[in-house]
Amino acid sequence: MTNESPSVCPAVLSSEDSPQENGVHTNQYSSISPPASPVAQDEPFSTYFEERVQIPDSENQLFSFRKLWAFTGPGFLMSIAYLDPGNIESDLQSGAAAGFKLLWVLLVSTIIGLLLQRLAARLGVVTGMHLAEVCNRQYSTVPRIILWLMVELAIIGSDMQEVIGCAIALNLLSVGRIPLWGGVLITITDTFVFLFLDKYGLRKLEAFFGFLITIMALSFGYEYVLVKPDQGELLKGMFVPYCAGCGPVQLEQAVGIVGAVIMPHNIYLHSALVKSREVDRKNKKEVKEANKYFFIESAIALFVSFLINVFVVAVFAQAFYNKSNMDVNAVCNKTGSPHTDLFPLNNNTLEVDIYKGGIVLGCFFGPAALYIWAIGILAAGQSSTMTGTYSGQFVMEGFLNLRWSRFARVLLTRSIAITPTLLVAIFQDVHHLTGMNDFLNVLQSLQLPFALIPILTFTSLKSIMNDFANGLGWKISGGILILGVCAINMYFVIVYVTALNSVVLYVLAALVSVAYLAFVAYLAWHCLVALGVSCLDCCSRVSNRPAVLIEEQSEYDS
């Protein structure tokens, strides 16, 4: 077989000439896997998918709980990103700053997240490839490398928040005896251990993640029952999209909620996780059924994550909304807390983070509330840092076509994220470390277009998705949602940059913005072509024609 590089404008076959099986056009995305390296490896190449879950047969049933159970797993692993320490911090801050008034923003953000995760799952199910692999085949070399670097930055930022969350939880549980750098090192070690749990079976690994979600539900649920929030105010805040008396502080919290919930690397992760189920992609009925059950499972998983987030918001809305530093200082001083100095003697509104949140819970509701809070944060941080590591593996394998051993891949992806986190932990103390979350949230907000634009692009292409390509309604609504989410996150970035009060940083930000917007425009161009704006289809690497790409011959073909 010859080694030919694909042209910039890939040749296409007409849909009439393309092979069909069970009513589905077959193409490279529904019939092949990533090319394998011809070089023999000392250790067999293995990923999260070395075991695939078999789907039970059933007669023509509209719904089967047995099948839903077989498909259950990927959605819950995906939902962990909605429960990471960054989300928990956003929840408690919105509760303390706005009470129950922003719960509707959390609800809407979760629904938008579900719709975007649906696109990610459909891409993986229909094509048999995850988003990074499809990007590798569809974009030119330079844009592909830039896209990979941007996604890696998002993963590093997310992983830093998660590891910091674990370190803070260990510091709280040990009453300050375990320093931050020690907590980071512990997190590194146990993450390596947990990541090898899939050697004992995929379902056991998924059950372990389910156990961690259960710990979070019980921990934050305990705080919820202890505080006894006003249920009427809670329901009003959840279903009435209005924020009476809100100002810039509350607006920033609302924008922060959207940015914390919808995370770029999670789109890549979910498109890969669904490949763990045995689905015959040449059978249209099986593909349609898999899409249905994955959507139901994702909806259930995100509903659970939404409830846990509501627990956190409600606790801080009920107990600490409109509290001043002086109020908290008095209570902490009365209970003999050693952390009274965290709350200066002034009437400024209380500002909390993950660390201070645990301290004020301990002051107001006793030591048990503090330790149970720390256990919940530890479960959130540990589970999310593990799924973040999987994201890093999938992204590197997809974009770079790496065929390394399991240990080498885990070591590299962990090192990329852990090294800056460890340096920060060594040179910062626990009282200042959580302040990094604002910067890390901005970093991830900037990377959001690099996940949302590609997923809408590829799920809208008939040349990739065939009969499962987005319809006109999904194209329009998906485009509006993605434009809205990206605009909200850009506002968050602008607010953060303008608060820096530095001319040099303003100039640097302006220069970076030009390059950033140019690359976003490039991705948007491809997306518009995929959405059917044919006048822009000038030798683009994507085509919206109902056709099938000729199978590319890679350098690894024999």
Side-chain angles (χ1 to χ4, degrees), residues 40 77 80 177 182 288 323 367 422 426 480:
L77 268 67
I80 285 171
R177 292 187 179 91
K288 186 176 181 180
K323 286 283 194 304
L422 185 59
I426 291 173
I480 292 173

Side-chain angles (χ1 to χ4, degrees), residues 387-426:
T387 54
T389 302
Y390 277 124
S391 299
Q393 292 182 58
F394 296 141
V395 165
M396 293 193 73
E397 290 169 9
F399 277 109
L400 305 183
N401 198 31
L402 290 181
R403 318 302 286 178
W404 292 1
S405 69
R406 174 190 298 271
F407 180 80
R409 283 180 287 116
V410 175
L411 181 62
L412 179 60
T413 54
R414 282 280 76 192
S415 300
I416 290 174
I418 290 297
T419 301
T421 311
L422 185 59
L423 292 175
V424 170
I426 291 173

Side-chain angles (χ1 to χ4, degrees), residues 50 54 129 199 327 392:
E50 60 182 339
Q54 298 295 321
M129 290 178 156
K199 287 288 188 181
D327 295 332

Side-chain angles (χ1 to χ4, degrees), residues 271-512:
S271 66
L273 294 175
V274 296
K275 292 170 58 180
S276 60
R277 267 52 184 176
E278 194 65 59
V279 177
D280 183 2
R281 295 186 303 279
K282 298 177 183 178
N283 187 315
K284 183 176 180 179
K285 180 181 176 183
E286 283 196 26
V287 173
K288 186 176 181 180
E289 183 180 69
N291 284 330
K292 178 181 75 173
Y293 282 107
F294 274 130
F295 180 71
I296 294 172
E297 185 239 0
S298 297
I300 295 171
L302 289 187
F303 176 71
V304 172
S305 73
F306 173 71
L307 289 181
I308 295 174
N309 283 313
V310 168
F311 289 162
V312 178
V313 174
V315 165
F316 284 83
Q318 182 69 37
F320 306 113
Y321 177 50
N322 277 337
K323 286 283 194 304
S324 68
N325 285 323
M326 191 172 292
D327 295 332
V328 177
N329 184 290
V331 175
C332 287
N333 189 50
K334 188 176 180 179
T335 57
S337 171
H339 304 288
T340 307
D341 58 317
L342 288 175
F343 312 102
L345 290 171
N346 58 46
N347 284 319
N348 293 343
T349 302
L350 174 68
E351 294 182 2
V352 286
D353 48 40
I354 292 177
Y355 181 74
K356 287 183 181 178
I359 298 300
V360 295
L361 284 172
C363 290
F364 278 75
F365 302 103
L370 186 155
Y371 293 125
I372 292 174
W373 167 262
I375 290 171
I377 295 297
L378 182 62
Q382 189 61 70
S383 57
S384 55
T385 196
M386 291 163 64
T387 54
T389 302
Y390 277 124
S391 299
Q393 292 182 58
F394 296 141
V395 165
M396 293 193 73
E397 290 169 9
F399 277 109
L400 305 183
N401 198 31
L402 290 181
R403 318 302 286 178
W404 292 1
S405 69
R406 174 190 298 271
F407 180 80
R409 283 180 287 116
V410 175
L411 181 62
L412 179 60
T413 54
R414 282 280 76 192
S415 300
I416 290 174
I418 290 297
T419 301
T421 311
L422 185 59
L423 292 175
V424 170
I426 291 173
F427 295 107
Q428 289 277 18
D429 58 42
V430 71
H431 309 306
H432 299 93
L433 191 58
T434 51
M436 283 193 60
N437 271 325
D438 285 342
F439 171 74
L440 296 175
N441 284 334
V442 167
L443 179 65
Q444 292 178 80
S445 295
L446 285 170
Q447 314 310 320
L448 202 55
F450 307 131
L452 300 190
I453 295 177
I455 196 64
L456 181 62
T457 299
F458 299 133
T459 54
S460 298
L461 285 172
K462 283 187 175 294
S463 57
I464 293 177
M465 300 292 287
N466 296 309
D467 294 340
F468 296 95
N470 294 328
L472 181 61
W474 266 99
K475 289 178 181 179
I476 295 174
S477 59
I480 292 173
L481 283 178
I482 289 173
L483 182 62
V485 169
C486 291
I488 289 171
N489 279 273
M490 288 304 102
Y491 171 82
F492 181 68
V493 173
I494 292 170
V495 169
Y496 179 83
V497 173
T498 53
L500 296 176
N501 294 320
S502 171
V503 176
V504 175
L505 291 177
Y506 290 160
V507 173
L508 181 61
L511 294 175
V512 172

